Amino acid sequence: MEPAPAKAKPQGRLLVSTQLDAKDELEERLERCVGIVQALSNGLSEREANDALTANVCKGQQQHEEVCLGLFALVLTEPTQAQRCYRDLTLVNRDGMNIVLVKINQILMEKFLKLQDIPRTQLVWLVRELVKSGVIGADGVIMTLMKQIAGGDISTKNLWLAENVLDILLDQKEWVLKSGMLIAMSVYTYLRLIVDHGAPNLLPLRQKEVDFCISMLREKFMECLIIGRDLVRLLQNVARIPEMELVWRDLLHNPQVLSPQFTGILQLLTARTSRKFLACRLTPDMETKLLFMTSRVRFGQQKRYQDWFQRQYLSTAESQSLRCDLIRYICGVVHPSNEVLSSDILPRWAIIGWLLTTCTSNVAASNAKLALFYDWLFFNPEKDSIMNIEPAILVMHHSMKPHPAITATLLDFMCRIIPHFFPPLESQVRQGVFNSLTFIMEKRVLAHLAPLFDNPKLDRELRSMLRERFPEFCSPPSPPTEVKMEEAASMDMDNHVLDKEEGCYDHTEAAFSDDEEEVNNKGKKREFRFHPIKEAVVEEPADITPWLDQLDDTMKEKVQQIQKTSDTETQCEVMQEIVDLILEDDFDTEQMSALASCLAELFKDHFRGEVLPEEITEESLEESVCKPVCLIFRNLVTMQEDNSGFSVLLDMLAELYQKQPKIGYHLLYYLKASKAANGKMMLYESFAQATALGDLHTCLMMDMKACQEDDVRLLCYLTPSIYSEFPDETLRSGELLNMIVAVIDSMQLQELMCHVMMGSLVMFRKDSVLNILIQSLEWETFEQYSTWQLFLAHSIPLETIIPILQHLKYKEHPEALSCLLLQLRREKPSEEMVKMVLSRPCHPEDQFTTSILRHWASKYDDTLGEHIKAQLIKNNNQPRKRQSLRSSSSKLAQLTLEQILEHLDNLRLSLSNMKNNCEQIHTFNSRSLADPARVNDTVFLFFSLAVFTQTPILQALQHVQASCDEAHKMRFSDLFALAEEYEDSQAKPLKSRRKAPASSPRSRKGVAPPTNNEEESASSSASEEEDSKPKAPKRKRKGSSAVGSDSD
């Protein structure tokens, strides 16, 4: 009986609706607010209208919200009044446009597809104006707007939206560059869209997109680096475009051009792509439908949902490219809980199998298979999730009987991708696939792989290739174990109910969760989260019935009051009353557990989202700790530890901690952010001891890990306090440091370094820094570089950590070696430094020792000579081992005489080669002097060569030569020749000295090097050898002549 009035209602001006649709609540509210604004301003001049609106806004929060929303609605529905309404909106709003930003996000996520044409156009115009005005939070709106640009869709509306958002980014480029996350998100979005815009009529748009992406990649590559391995996948798809090909070549062959911190494509490929990037290429509607299918639809009843999805999004030729986005999203974002996995809900592999069968082109099919296996290629069990690789193996397993062709093509692809993905990294790809298969076995996703790899349904050639590639997994299974392999019943991919194996998945952290272990946002420091991932499954209201009956009547009444109200202030008042009841002498502690369960359930919303305010001020911090649960913290802070109520309240907090583990880092945040808790950080230690863990270190690490997973900004905010208040727990190991460097971005790294430089943060101390740096050798590249940057910000002498050289291998630890090399070049060599440098095993490809010795030789030849002599003499007096150091690199390096001689010989060869290749050494004439660069090179060479004219080194070589065996004399004959000529120079008159065999006819008289070193040449005549130099006479000319004679 009620629809009749609804039919008579005129259609609104905001959303498209039919006569059968009920009036939208948001639209109704906006229309009411428009009426309020018009009632206040009708018949008034602009100035009077503005005064009236301002006066109304000042009355209270409700009036402020009504006026702002009314003006917002007028901007969307009245294009002719939009400019004036926006101006009024900027003048009267009191919350930094927050209410407007919230409503824009709501419309974009929930109502965008229903918007009429004019409001859609005006909404984009409004976003442009917000960006122009530099409104804080506008970057989040832009990212939400980009999410509405559908992939695989070249409809007019979608192209219009893509071009208009791109125009905003291009016009406001300086603003864009301030937000690292916006840079990465926009590059990811438009690199993906370029593939769809290849038609001739779309080439102008594609060129704009190409230019934008290249500009961002060239100027802000480190910000784009946070995308991870999927950046390589997207670039690979557009690499045939000429401009993109240049970037692609630099990525492969000249990474330093893109950024000095970028070490190469492997750095990208080993970094997992954040969920936020994978999710950004699905519109909110696509996301909602996929999440509904994977959480609500029963397996066997999915066909009508799949048909609807295919009609809506996958029916056109252009939509072939969308399948990759869907598969990457399902693998990387949709991680069902164990409860869902063990139910009859539609599994992920079934959806992916269906998507694969809908591919109608070979290119789309190949790209879809690559998207499915992409996380396999560089899989690391310590850093990647089993949930990312599980769908691929299950698609193959369950398709074997009903669709053997799908299984065969996927197995064939898995084999062939190893050598063909990127030939220089074939071994790494093979290892990644091997790691994936091994982890699948360990986690019992499948009990064994032999029935899959050696199945009679596969053709002989494929089975042979599988046995060749993966012999470890093709052997028949041993007698039955406690875990049974899943049986793949004969089924149709679209319609069948699977009897799932219980205990098949050993993964306890699967959930539709927010991003974890991801790089946080930069610039505006506003991390954008795609709400449908969190909100698509509507949660039931908090049910505390099981625990209410365990509470006494007074406590039950208070808890029910909290349940009935959503007003935070009221909840705080009631919570204080509950605390007062707990502190009463007659409080029954047996109901503590039930009370904690009730509070944890009622306040679960308080533990979601970001804790730290966007803009950190004293007011915003105090406001952020005004939550009901903080009342417990506040009461603990104000009480003395000897108070009887203190221990009771602490026990209550420990009970709450068992129900809600996030309470730990929320307590840490309160103790740092609240003025009332100033200087009370040690309260956390009492809390840790009261918990079931009972240990400060374990409790602290667990809480910081939870904080790392939930809020990276908060982690960085807490870091200085945690290190300063708990030095024994944080500085003795690298556990907390690894948590931090695993998720921070470059801006957060710089902020931490500033804290260190200002003395407010100490992350290393002398007694433990070496062990921590050794631990860091197993971390990822960016984590290691961040660790070294933080170490170098401290004033710890380099000699403290120089023994780490004994642990560094040139192929496995390039990050630490490069950082040490740059630091050593700034230091004057000490005896310990020289010893450790010489202790490195000799290898033709390891240039570390030679490069630093050569640098020291050019600046500190005297000091270096004395230290080398000391090592030669010391090791010559010890019993020599016959074993070559090349074969003992697996152990900690022990300095031997043979090793020192090898390094000195390498240094001699390096200097000799430079001398022979340097034309100015042979033709050092007036023309050479005209070129400052050539003079500088020559001067450097003379300084370097001078190290082998040092009397200490020559005397030490003479001493060693006298006691070594013939094999060593033969092996290092050129090196010992220096000692022989030194001996000759001491025993014979200068005029009878032996000349070098390869004399040069060129005369070098009349030109002296502009240093206090001697000029050296293989063809120096006797008269030239007697030219005196202003430096110490211990530098013997014959020594340098011998160096020059080794050109062969």
Side-chain angles (χ1 to χ4, degrees):
M1 299 296 295
E2 295 179 1
K7 291 182 180 179
K9 289 181 180 179
Q11 179 170 323
R13 304 183 61 186
L14 187 66
L15 304 177
V16 175
S17 62
T18 67
Q19 293 297 323
L20 297 177
D21 292 331
K23 190 72 173 178
D24 186 84
E25 291 182 4
L26 175 63
E27 188 172 18
E28 273 191 322
R29 186 184 181 197
L30 291 178
E31 286 177 354
R32 287 197 302 270
C33 293
V34 168
I36 292 171
V37 170
Q38 290 176 339
L40 289 170
S41 58
N42 278 350
L44 302 178
S45 66
E46 288 188 6
R47 184 179 182 86
E48 291 171 337
N50 183 262
D51 291 342
L53 293 174
T54 302
N56 192 63
V57 161
C58 294
K59 292 179 180 178
Q61 178 63 29
Q62 181 179 346
Q63 289 78 3
H64 172 264
E65 192 168 312
E66 290 171 345
V67 170
C68 288
L69 291 181
L71 292 171
F72 166 64
L74 285 171
V75 169
L76 296 186
T77 56
E78 301 289 347
T80 56
Q81 302 180 36
Q83 194 69 51
R84 178 180 62 80
C85 290
Y86 179 72
R87 183 197 63 205
D88 291 342
L89 184 59
T90 58
L91 293 174
V92 302
N93 88 90
R94 297 290 184 270
D95 63 352
M97 293 284 193
N98 185 62
I99 182 63
V100 175
L101 293 175
V102 169
K103 290 304 171 188
I104 291 177
N105 271 318
Q106 182 183 354
I107 290 173
L108 287 173
M109 300 301 287
E110 301 172 7
K111 316 287 185 185
F112 188 76
L113 295 178
K114 294 183 178 181
L115 281 179
Q116 297 184 29
D117 290 341
I118 290 177
R120 185 191 301 262
T121 303
Q122 287 303 110
L123 184 64
V124 175
W125 177 87
L126 177 58
V127 172
R128 185 191 300 270
E129 294 303 310
L130 291 171
V131 171
K132 283 183 182 178
S133 303
V135 174
I136 295 176
D139 53 343
V141 173
I142 283 284
M143 287 188 276
T144 315
L145 192 56
M146 283 194 295
K147 188 173 170 62
Q148 283 290 356
I149 308 172
D153 181 0
I154 57 171
S155 63
T156 304
K157 286 184 178 180
N158 199 59
L159 292 173
W160 173 85
L161 182 60
E163 186 163 17
N164 275 270
V165 174
L166 181 60
D167 288 339
I168 294 174
L169 297 173
L170 290 171
D171 294 343
Q172 305 298 323
K173 184 177 178 181
E174 292 302 318
W175 174 82
V176 172
L177 294 179
K178 296 176 182 177
S179 173
M181 183 52 66
L182 179 57
I183 292 170
M185 196 71 74
S186 58
V187 167
Y188 189 92
T189 297
Y190 282 99
L191 278 177
R192 166 63 188 87
L193 294 176
I194 287 170
V195 177
D196 297 334
H197 301 159
N201 61 312
L202 301 179
L203 289 181
L205 172 59
R206 189 181 81 166
Q207 190 58 49
K208 287 169 66 175
E209 293 169 337
V210 168
D211 293 341
F212 171 77
C213 291
I214 290 176
S215 171
M216 293 294 108
L217 287 167
R218 293 286 187 189
E219 296 176 28
K220 293 287 182 179
F221 186 79
M222 290 309 293
E223 280 72 11
C224 300
L225 195 67
I226 66 173
I227 295 173
R229 60 175 65 115
D230 277 77
L231 177 59
V232 178
R233 183 176 63 86
L234 296 181
L235 285 170
Q236 196 171 6
N237 291 337
V238 299
R240 293 182 180 274
I241 299 174
E243 299 92 334
M244 282 293 184
E245 187 178 6
L246 298 177
V247 176
W248 180 248
R249 287 180 179 175
D250 285 341
L251 186 74
L252 296 181
H253 308 300
N254 199 8
Q256 296 292 311
V257 170
L258 298 173
S259 172
Q261 290 82 37
F262 182 46
T263 58
I265 194 170
L266 187 61
Q267 181 180 352
L268 263 176
L269 290 169
T270 53
R272 181 170 59 86
T273 296
S274 162
R275 289 189 177 103
K276 65 183 66 144
F277 294 109
L278 299 178
C280 81
R281 290 319 315 130
L282 269 64
T283 64
D285 190 58
M286 292 180 195
E287 245 189 323
T288 303
K289 299 298 188 296
L290 276 180
L291 291 174
F292 178 81
M293 284 195 284
T294 55
S295 62
R296 299 296 181 88
V297 177
R298 297 187 183 280
F299 190 34
Q301 300 175 5
Q302 72 270 22
K303 190 173 189 308
R304 64 192 183 106
Y305 300 102
Q306 292 174 347
D307 290 344
W308 181 93
F309 197 94
Q310 185 162 1
R311 284 195 306 270
Q312 188 75 11
Y313 296 114
L314 301 175
S315 58
T316 64
E318 298 80 23
S319 65
Q320 292 289 319
S321 62
L322 179 60
R323 287 158 176 80
C324 297
D325 300 333
L326 295 171
I327 291 173
R328 293 298 294 145
Y329 176 84
I330 292 170
C331 291
V333 179
V334 182
H335 289 180
S337 64
N338 280 336
E339 181 181 357
V340 173
L341 290 171
S342 60
S343 70
D344 59 351
I345 296 297
L346 179 65
R348 297 185 299 160
W349 63 262
I351 300 177
I352 291 175
W354 161 66
L355 289 172
L356 291 173
T357 61
T358 64
C359 293
T360 58
S361 76
N362 292 333
V363 173
S366 295
N367 289 337
K369 286 181 279 190
L370 180 61
L372 179 60
F373 282 100
Y374 207 60
D375 289 312
W376 288 51
L377 305 184
F378 297 89
F379 184 81
N380 184 340
E382 296 180 2
K383 302 182 179 96
D384 292 314
S385 170
I386 183 67
M387 300 299 283
N388 289 17
I389 61 174
E390 175 236 56
I393 197 71
L394 291 183
V395 170
M396 295 187 286
H397 173 68
H398 291 296
S399 302
M400 181 62 80
K401 287 186 178 180
H403 301 283
I406 291 180
T407 301
T409 188
L410 290 176
L411 287 171
D412 181 75
F413 182 87
M414 183 178 70
C415 291
R416 297 183 188 280
I417 195 66
I418 293 174
H420 295 126
F421 177 74
F422 186 47
L425 296 181
E426 180 181 349
S427 61
Q428 287 90 335
V429 175
R430 177 178 285 105
Q431 186 62 47
V433 175
F434 180 86
N435 290 344
S436 301
L437 294 171
T438 304
F439 205 53
I440 284 167
M441 297 277 287
E442 290 177 0
K443 293 297 182 182
R444 296 303 192 190
V445 177
L446 293 183
H448 44 80
L449 298 174
L452 177 63
F453 285 4
D454 202 22
N455 196 293
K457 290 193 174 186
L458 304 176
D459 65 70
R460 185 176 302 174
E461 181 181 352
L462 177 56
R463 291 164 65 187
S464 175
M465 182 162 54
L466 285 166
R467 281 193 295 269
E468 179 184 348
R469 300 276 188 196
F470 311 107
E472 303 88 348
F473 305 106
C474 292
S475 57
S478 54
T481 61
E482 68 277 19
V483 181
K484 258 181 96 177
M485 189 187 79
E486 292 180 273
E487 293 188 6
S490 178
M491 64 173 185
D492 179 65
M493 184 66 71
D494 297 325
N495 268 317
H496 194 75
V497 177
L498 172 72
D499 293 325
K500 292 197 172 201
E501 172 195 28
E502 292 186 5
C504 183
Y505 305 93
D506 183 15
H507 188 80
T508 58
E509 297 177 356
F512 290 120
S513 58
D514 278 332
D515 219 333
E516 56 189 78
E517 301 174 4
E518 296 297 342
V519 183
N520 205 343
N521 194 10
K522 299 185 196 173
K524 297 287 184 183
K525 290 192 169 77
R526 186 181 187 87
E527 184 176 2
F528 176 71
R529 297 182 184 275
F530 294 123
H531 299 289
I533 300 176
K534 298 167 66 176
E535 299 176 358
V537 180
V538 179
E539 291 194 24
E540 299 294 331
D543 182 14
I544 58 175
T545 309
W547 304 291
L548 272 179
D549 294 337
Q550 301 176 38
L551 304 177
D552 60 39
D553 293 338
T554 308
M555 188 66 75
K556 182 189 296 186
E557 180 184 354
K558 299 301 179 186
V559 171
Q560 288 175 330
Q561 286 181 28
I562 292 180
Q563 185 181 25
K564 291 175 183 177
T565 181
S566 59
D567 180 65
T568 303
E569 187 172 348
T570 305
Q571 287 183 337
C572 287
E573 292 173 0
V574 178
M575 189 63 202
Q576 182 59 54
E577 294 173 7
I578 290 176
V579 171
D580 293 337
L581 289 174
I582 294 173
L583 295 176
E584 289 180 0
D585 294 336
D586 59 347
F587 175 70
D588 183 7
T589 56
E590 291 183 1
Q591 61 180 328
M592 195 175 285
S593 178
L595 177 59
S597 298
C598 291
L599 295 178
E601 187 67 17
L602 291 173
F603 297 146
K604 60 185 178 182
D605 288 338
H606 295 175
F607 297 96
R608 291 180 181 149
E610 295 181 350
V611 181
L612 195 64
E614 287 294 330
E615 186 175 351
I616 300 176
T617 62
E618 288 186 4
E619 293 76 16
S620 64
L621 289 174
E622 284 297 327
E623 185 179 350
S624 69
V625 294
C626 292
K627 296 179 181 179
V629 74
C630 294
L631 265 294
I632 302 177
F633 305 157
R634 185 180 302 171
N635 280 272
L636 280 170
V637 164
T638 57
M639 298 171 69
Q640 298 295 326
E641 290 194 10
D642 54 357
N643 189 318
S644 59
F646 182 86
S647 59
V648 177
L649 206 53
L650 211 54
D651 290 341
M652 179 66 214
L653 194 59
E655 282 288 341
L656 193 57
Y657 184 67
Q658 285 190 338
K659 319 297 181 187
Q660 176 52 268
K662 295 182 181 181
I663 201 81
Y665 73 78
H666 278 255
L667 173 60
L668 286 169
Y669 173 69
Y670 179 87
L671 294 174
K672 178 174 174 63
S674 174
K675 288 182 180 178
N678 189 23
K680 299 280 188 175
M681 185 64 79
M682 296 312 292
L683 173 64
Y684 180 84
E685 185 173 356
S686 302
F687 160 74
Q689 292 167 355
T691 63
L693 298 171
D695 174 60
L696 175 59
H697 179 79
T698 305
C699 192
L700 182 63
M701 292 304 117
M702 288 180 63
D703 290 341
M704 296 305 286
K705 180 64 177 176
C707 181
Q708 179 221 41
E709 294 173 351
D710 291 345
D711 193 342
V712 178
R713 286 184 62 233
L714 179 59
L715 177 71
C716 295
Y717 176 76
L718 292 176
T719 293
S721 296
I722 299 302
Y723 270 94
S724 60
E725 296 292 340
F726 309 108
D728 292 335
E729 311 304 325
T730 55
L731 296 175
R732 69 185 184 188
S733 74
E735 188 176 355
L736 178 57
L737 178 64
N738 190 19
M739 288 183 207
I740 295 168
V741 298
V743 293
I744 60 174
D745 59 27
S746 52
M747 174 176 285
Q748 290 160 341
L749 172 62
Q750 188 260 346
E751 289 173 357
L752 291 177
M753 292 175 65
C754 289
H755 282 297
V756 173
M757 300 281 290
M758 292 186 294
S760 58
L761 173 61
V762 176
M763 304 181 79
F764 300 95
R765 60 186 182 193
K766 289 184 180 180
D767 59 350
S768 59
V769 61
L770 180 59
N771 288 332
I772 292 176
L773 290 177
I774 291 173
Q775 291 175 33
S776 74
L777 299 178
E778 302 300 322
W779 302 349
E780 290 188 356
T781 293
F782 181 78
E783 297 170 14
Q784 289 194 52
Y785 279 129
S786 299
T787 301
W788 280 96
Q789 292 290 328
L790 290 168
F791 164 75
L792 295 175
H794 291 70
S795 300
I796 298 177
L798 192 62
E799 285 193 345
T800 306
I801 57 99
I802 198 68
I804 197 175
L805 275 173
Q806 295 179 300
H807 298 264
L808 303 182
K809 300 175 183 178
Y810 78 99
K811 283 188 176 179
E812 299 175 17
H813 308 121
E815 302 90 347
L817 283 171
S818 59
C819 292
L820 264 177
L821 187 64
L822 292 176
Q823 193 62 19
L824 282 170
R825 74 188 299 271
R826 298 185 177 94
E827 300 280 337
K828 184 176 181 180
S830 64
E831 184 174 353
E832 182 65 16
M833 288 182 189
V834 174
K835 177 184 176 182
M836 288 298 167
V837 167
L838 292 173
S839 296
R840 290 189 56 71
C842 293
H843 193 282
E845 296 178 21
D846 184 5
Q847 300 295 319
F848 181 93
T849 298
T850 303
S851 59
I852 190 60
L853 287 178
R854 184 164 163 177
H855 176 78
W856 280 341
S858 68
K859 297 185 70 175
Y860 310 102
D861 53 336
D862 292 335
T863 306
L864 181 63
E866 291 293 340
H867 294 327
I868 292 177
K869 174 187 176 182
Q871 297 304 321
L872 281 169
I873 299 298
K874 183 186 301 182
N875 285 274
N876 188 50
N877 294 332
Q878 296 176 355
R880 280 192 291 276
K881 297 179 181 179
R882 302 291 295 181
Q883 180 186 6
S884 171
L885 264 292
R886 291 195 183 96
S887 64
S888 61
S889 58
S890 62
K891 303 176 183 178
L892 288 184
Q894 298 296 324
L895 186 59
T896 65
L897 178 64
E898 183 177 9
Q899 203 170 3
I900 300 174
L901 294 175
E902 281 189 298
H903 284 309
L904 289 178
D905 203 41
N906 288 340
L907 177 61
R908 179 192 62 79
L909 287 172
S910 173
L911 295 174
S912 298
N913 290 337
M914 182 178 176
K915 180 176 179 180
N916 294 331
N917 293 333
C918 229
E919 183 179 293
Q920 50 276 56
I921 298 301
H922 300 289
T923 59
F924 194 51
N925 50 32
S926 57
R927 181 181 176 185
S928 301
L929 289 172
D931 186 351
R934 299 176 74 185
V935 172
N936 289 338
D937 289 344
T938 305
V939 170
F940 174 81
L941 178 60
F942 275 117
F943 274 122
S944 302
L945 286 169
V947 72
F948 284 107
T949 67
Q950 294 294 316
T951 300
I953 290 184
L954 296 174
Q955 288 176 339
L957 287 174
Q958 183 181 358
H959 180 75
V960 171
Q961 183 185 22
S963 58
C964 71
D965 54 32
E966 289 299 320
H968 283 84
K969 288 181 180 178
M970 180 67 68
R971 182 178 174 186
F972 303 108
S973 58
D974 293 330
L975 191 62
F976 289 136
L978 305 177
E980 292 173 359
E981 297 199 3
Y982 170 76
E983 183 179 0
D984 292 344
S985 68
Q986 299 297 311
K988 299 179 183 179
L990 288 177
K991 62 182 180 178
S992 63
R993 290 182 189 170
R994 172 169 50 87
K995 295 183 181 179
S999 61
S1000 170
R1002 301 184 183 181
S1003 172
R1004 300 191 178 113
K1005 295 180 180 180
V1007 179
T1011 71
N1012 55 4
N1013 289 350
E1014 295 179 27
E1015 182 174 350
E1016 299 142 346
S1017 170
S1019 60
S1020 296
S1021 63
S1023 61
E1024 288 172 331
E1025 289 178 313
E1026 293 184 13
D1027 288 344
S1028 60
K1029 300 297 173 187
K1031 195 68 178 172
K1034 63 183 178 182
R1035 298 182 183 174
K1036 297 300 176 179
R1037 288 172 291 279
K1038 278 296 181 179
S1040 62
S1041 181
V1043 174
S1045 67
D1046 261 312
S1047 59
D1048 59 333

